[in-house]
Each structure stands twice: as C-alpha cells, then as structure tokens.
Amino acid sequence: MTIPAVNLKPALQATEAAWRARLDELFHRMQFILGEQLASFEREFAAALGSRFAIGAGSGTSAIELSLRHAGIVRSNQEVLTTPLTAPFTGIGILGAGASIRFADIDPDTLLLDPAKAAARITKRTAALLPVHLYGQPCPLDQFSRLAKDAGAELLQDACQAHGARYRGRPLTAYSRYVAYSFYPTKNLGCLGDGGAVATNSATVDRGLRLLRDGGRRNDQLSRIAGANSRLDEMQCCYLRAFLPKLEEWNAWRARIAALYDDLLRDCPGVRLLKRWPCSVHHLYVIRVKRRERLRAHLAAQGIGTGAHYPVPLHLHPAFAGSGARRGDLPEAERAAREVLSLPLWPYLPPRDAIRVAETIRSFFAP
C-alpha cells in the first residue's frame, strides 16, 4: 500500500458539500474577481486568526512583496534580513519589492531563524526583519519584536506555513503590521491553485494593500499608484471558505500524528528530532537524518513518499548570489539542508500509516 507524502483527497471529500455550494453561488453571481466570495473569506479568515483585517493576494510571494512595498522597503540599499532555510519564494518576494536580501543562520534545534545570530547581522542598512514560521512553528516573536524596535526596522512575518498558529497565546498580528500567508494547495489551509493573503490590525495597511493589489485602483479605472495585479480569485475563495471551518480540526489531526512520530522515533539511532513548542501547527513533520537520500530510496521502495524542505539553503541559490553570503558562511543552515527529511503528514492520515513509516525508518537504521 502506498503512503504519499501529501494526500488532498480526504480533505476534499470531507468538505465537498460546502465547496460545491460555494461554487454554485459563484456561478450564479458570475463575478470571478474581487467579488462576494473574496470579501466573505477575508472577513472569516481575519476572524479565525484573531486579526482585524485580511487582504487577499495572488500568492504568498505576492503577500510578502506587497507588504514590503507598502512599508516603503523598495530600494537596493534597504536590506531585509531573513533565514536561508526556507522556500525560495520568501527571497523572491524580497527581490520583487526591490530590496536586497541578507541572511542570518538558524537554530540547529528548531531550524528557525536564530535571534542572536540575526542580531549580529543587523547593520544600518537593515530595513526589515522577516522571520519565517518554518514547518508551522512560530519564531520567537517577542525577541524579534525587540530586535526590530532596537534597529528601527520593520518586522514582517512569513506565516505561509503557519495557518492558525499563535505565539504565546496571542495572534501573530499582535507582533507586527504584516503577516503573510500562502494558500498553496498543500498548506494547512490551501486552495486548489495559487493564493495568498496579508493579515494585519492596521486600517492603514488594509487600505494600502487593497490599493496596491488592484493596480492602484479603487473599484474604478484610475490607477493612483503603480500597484500590482495580485488578486485572490473568487473560485479559490470558494474552496478556502469550505476548508476554513475545518482548519482547527485539521491542525489537531496533524498534531496527533506529529506526537505519534515523536514517540516512535525519539530513540531511533540515526534520527534527530526537532524541538517544537505547543504553538506549532505542524505544517510539516521534519526530522534530521544521516544518509538522507539512501533513506528516501529505502522508504520509496516500500511505497512511502517523503520530501526535503529544503535541500539547498537560499544563499547558495544563484538567484540570491547578491546576498554576499558564500558556502560555509551559514554552517547550521548548510548542515540542516543536507539532513532534513519530511515525513507523510496530512489531515486524515491514518495512525497505522504513521506507524508503518516509523517502523520502516527504524528498520533502515537497525544494526
């Protein structure tokens, strides 16, 4: 029997009545851009997050780029400090805004951006800090808030893997004006295409991002600023509105599977578990292993899918050569990139399948 790394079918089946009803509404209204489905989803998503506003965008990358543009961080002499262990789209959003990207190393236990190492990389050119809530685990936002304040820099959050997460019991928007989300299909809250949003408590940010995302227009044909074309479309909102009421339940399912993996792999030779805290929403279950590619082949031979998030740290991508970081400059991220392995994790994954995955890993490392 095959165990895929991700399986969207059970979630689609569990919500079919809801998304079909939303699609019927959409085709009745026949407004496919900036319509009622988006307006309703933005209200519902903001409420679920505990924020005042949510502004839909075309992707998580666009959500980052639009946030930086609204914050005025658009010049090459303005640097955005972030983690090298993330999807390249974090960096693409920074470059898309016109800013420069800089990296600090990670905490080897959590794989999150290390606040102390970030503090050591801050310069007079640092215009923003952009911690990434990797694998669904929030970064220590209290520390990053202080760092940003002391540096006179903007704090933005990449929460593209952290739908529903809070930090120390507070909404993520309590810590900064811009929290970017992605609705890529495999996210905790995903659509069936590309999509994104920015959550904020600021009415000024809300108004500004709505202007930016629609070409600088206000429901007319006059571009007041050089905006973008980055709108979350109505059809994707039909799915998102159907999935959103299930988010808490689905996150709880992920947490149970993650806890099961912890119990089964905690003392496994060759496996290093990541340190997590209770506020994680477990977007991915990632372990660190030696001989990763051989282990992946062993698992694949047993019909078990896996992933590597992420096999090349961003400072070693040609696209980010301008960061100034070279091989060896960020050793923890480089080491982690060689070792990270993502195990199957999705809502409705049967516990027996997680047990089989763990047993197969243990058999690989058995003497």
Side-chain angles (χ1 to χ4, degrees):
M1 182 181 70
T2 299
I3 304 174
V6 178
N7 185 359
L8 304 180
K9 289 182 180 179
L12 279 168
Q13 292 167 351
T15 55
E16 183 172 0
W19 54 257
R20 285 195 182 276
R22 298 301 184 197
L23 289 172
D24 286 345
E25 294 173 9
L26 173 62
F27 288 114
H28 176 72
R29 292 176 181 271
M30 296 299 288
Q31 182 176 353
F32 296 99
I33 300 292
L34 297 180
E36 181 56 35
Q37 294 296 334
L38 171 62
S40 296
F41 172 69
E42 288 175 332
R43 291 191 297 268
E44 293 159 5
F45 187 52
L49 297 176
S51 65
R52 290 183 63 197
F53 308 102
I55 306 94
S59 67
T61 309
S62 290
I64 292 170
E65 178 179 339
L66 292 174
S67 295
L68 287 166
R69 289 183 62 182
H70 184 264
I73 302 170
V74 295
R75 301 188 303 277
S76 61
N77 65 347
Q78 294 174 296
E79 297 178 353
V80 179
L81 186 61
T82 191
T83 173
L85 193 68
T86 181
F89 296 103
T90 302
I92 294 297
I94 294 169
L95 298 186
S100 294
I101 190 168
R102 294 292 182 268
F103 298 109
D105 214 348
I106 61 170
D107 179 329
D109 293 323
T110 64
L111 304 189
L112 301 174
L113 182 63
D114 188 313
K117 293 169 183 173
R121 295 269 178 163
I122 291 174
T123 71
K124 293 180 179 180
R125 293 163 62 95
T126 304
L129 305 182
L130 181 56
V132 176
H133 303 319
L134 194 67
Y135 311 147
Q137 172 145 281
C139 292
L141 288 171
D142 45 359
Q143 297 180 56
F144 281 108
S145 294
R146 288 194 295 271
L147 279 181
K149 182 178 181 180
D150 292 345
E154 191 76 53
L155 176 63
L156 300 91
Q157 301 173 55
D158 181 338
C160 291
Q161 300 182 6
H163 309 75
R166 296 185 173 223
Y167 182 71
R168 295 188 182 276
R170 303 175 67 196
L172 301 185
T173 47
Y175 296 90
S176 72
R177 298 194 299 162
Y178 306 93
V179 184
Y181 290 89
S182 165
F183 302 126
Y184 186 79
T186 60
K187 304 295 186 181
N188 291 39
L189 180 65
C191 55
L192 300 189
D194 274 318
V198 179
T200 184
N201 287 337
S202 166
T204 301
V205 171
D206 177 62
R207 289 191 298 270
L209 290 179
R210 292 183 189 281
L211 191 65
L212 275 170
R213 75 174 178 189
D214 192 32
R217 305 183 304 170
R218 294 195 183 106
N219 299 316
D220 55 24
Q221 296 301 321
L222 181 66
S223 287
R224 293 158 179 82
I225 59 173
N229 184 353
S230 181
R231 301 169 300 205
L232 179 59
D233 72 69
E234 292 288 286
M235 189 171 294
Q236 300 306 338
C237 289
C238 290
Y239 293 105
L240 290 166
R241 293 187 69 198
F243 299 159
L244 181 58
K246 290 283 191 178
L247 178 60
E248 187 174 350
E249 174 189 333
W250 290 349
N251 283 348
W253 193 291
R254 291 173 180 273
R256 288 193 295 271
I257 296 297
L260 180 58
Y261 277 139
D262 283 346
D263 290 342
L264 295 169
L265 294 172
R266 183 169 286 111
D267 61 349
C268 179
V271 173
R272 178 178 177 181
L273 302 185
L274 300 187
K275 180 180 178 182
R276 297 193 314 276
W277 32 83
C279 56
S280 174
V281 292
H282 308 92
H283 170 56
L284 295 170
Y285 186 87
V286 176
I287 57 177
R288 300 184 65 163
V289 295
K290 304 297 184 182
R291 299 181 289 160
R292 180 182 64 203
E293 296 310 313
R294 289 180 60 187
L295 174 57
R296 292 190 73 185
H298 176 74
L299 289 164
Q302 303 300 316
I304 298 171
T306 57
H309 299 86
Y310 296 91
V312 181
L314 263 56
H315 66 291
L316 302 183
H317 289 228
F320 308 114
S323 72
R326 300 291 181 264
R327 189 178 298 277
D329 289 349
L330 303 167
E332 295 295 352
E334 292 175 26
R335 189 175 301 113
R338 295 190 294 267
E339 298 176 356
V340 287
L341 180 67
S342 303
L343 305 185
L345 181 63
W346 30 274
Y348 310 115
L349 173 69
R352 66 177 180 275
D353 286 358
I355 293 171
R356 181 179 155 209
V357 171
E359 288 176 345
T360 307
I361 292 172
R362 296 186 74 94
S363 72
F364 176 81
F365 287 110

